[in-house]
Amino acid sequence: METAQTLYLNLFSEDKIHVLKELLHACVDEICGRSGPTYHKFVNSMDWSREEYEETYKLISMLLRNPASLYLMEEKMPQEYHELPEQIQQSILSCLKVRREQLTDALLREHSKEKHDTVTDFDWRLKLVMGSSKLASLREPLLQIDLIVENKESKHVLGLELNKDELDTFINAMESIVQ
């Protein structure tokens, strides 16, 4: 494993440590659903081959996706972390400290989507029904809500139309799920 340590020391010497920090935060951005790092973004600031970049990217991404890393304690970090040079370990820890909450949320969302259907967003409209074919003057408010539901394979919209009583029941059911 000494060759890997030498490789990372060469890739992230003291004058290039800012590139490591940029790569770490770009990897966190990718995990959180934003655009992530690319080889072309870092090729000008580092003398990397594509293989070196890919290996470094995979290692960093694996470390950041590991739930044990979120404890921020050296003894709970994965083995690959301990095989890295000290300055790189410190950069990883400082990135984790800053972005821990975002990473936790993103990893929980990812895990939830793998196991269950998950509501990721919603859209709503409030309508006032003035009448119907049965009653000339109804004046009943209706809430139309579209729940965007995702799972591992797909994303779909679940449309609901609720009157006041149904809305109260729906809210109570959702509150009981959250608690």
Side-chain angles (χ1 to χ4, degrees):
M1 195 46 63
E2 193 66 347
T3 57
Q5 274 218 351
T6 307
L7 169 70
Y8 292 118
L9 279 173
N10 291 338
L11 291 177
F12 298 112
S13 57
E14 283 294 324
D15 59 330
K16 300 283 186 178
I17 203 73
H18 69 283
V19 178
L20 171 61
K21 291 177 182 178
E22 188 178 338
L23 178 61
L24 285 165
H25 286 282
C27 287
V28 172
D29 287 342
E30 181 179 55
I31 293 168
C32 293
R34 296 182 286 277
S35 64
T38 61
Y39 173 70
H40 298 294
K41 182 177 182 179
F42 292 96
V43 71
N44 294 331
S45 54
M46 299 295 283
D47 297 325
W48 286 356
S49 67
R50 179 162 301 270
E51 293 78 31
E52 290 172 329
Y53 167 79
E54 291 294 330
E55 183 179 332
T56 305
Y57 166 74
K58 285 179 188 173
L59 174 70
I60 290 172
S61 186
M62 182 272 306
L63 286 172
L64 293 174
R65 285 181 183 277
N66 189 328
S69 298
L70 298 174
Y71 286 110
L72 302 177
M73 292 191 274
E74 299 242 354
E75 59 272 4
K76 292 190 177 188
M77 295 298 275
Q79 180 61 35
E80 294 84 359
Y81 170 84
H82 296 289
E83 296 168 356
L84 295 170
E86 182 67 27
Q87 68 187 24
I88 296 174
Q89 289 179 8
Q90 292 308 313
S91 294
I92 291 171
L93 271 181
S94 68
C95 176
L96 283 168
K97 285 177 185 174
V98 171
R99 308 284 301 270
R100 180 181 183 187
E101 187 175 324
Q102 292 173 328
L103 264 175
T104 303
D105 291 346
L107 293 175
L108 285 172
R109 234 183 347 268
E110 218 172 77
H111 177 75
S112 178
K113 283 181 194 175
E114 286 178 19
K115 302 291 182 192
H116 310 285
D117 286 353
T118 304
V119 175
T120 57
D121 203 1
F122 68 95
D123 189 18
W124 63 275
R125 293 167 301 288
L126 184 60
K127 295 185 174 187
L128 183 61
V129 177
M130 298 299 286
S132 71
S133 61
K134 295 178 184 173
L135 294 171
S137 173
L138 186 60
R139 305 190 121 221
E140 179 181 17
L142 290 177
L143 178 73
Q144 289 183 326
I145 185 165
D146 293 330
L147 302 174
I148 292 83
V149 180
E150 290 185 41
N151 60 26
K152 191 167 41 173
E153 293 94 29
S154 66
K155 180 178 185 176
H156 60 278
V157 177
L158 177 63
L160 302 172
E161 188 172 88
L162 309 169
N163 64 26
K164 184 164 177 18
D165 294 334
E166 293 167 334
L167 178 60
D168 288 338
T169 304
F170 179 75
I171 290 172
N172 289 335
M174 296 306 264
E175 286 176 345
S176 71
I177 291 170
V178 174
Q179 296 173 359

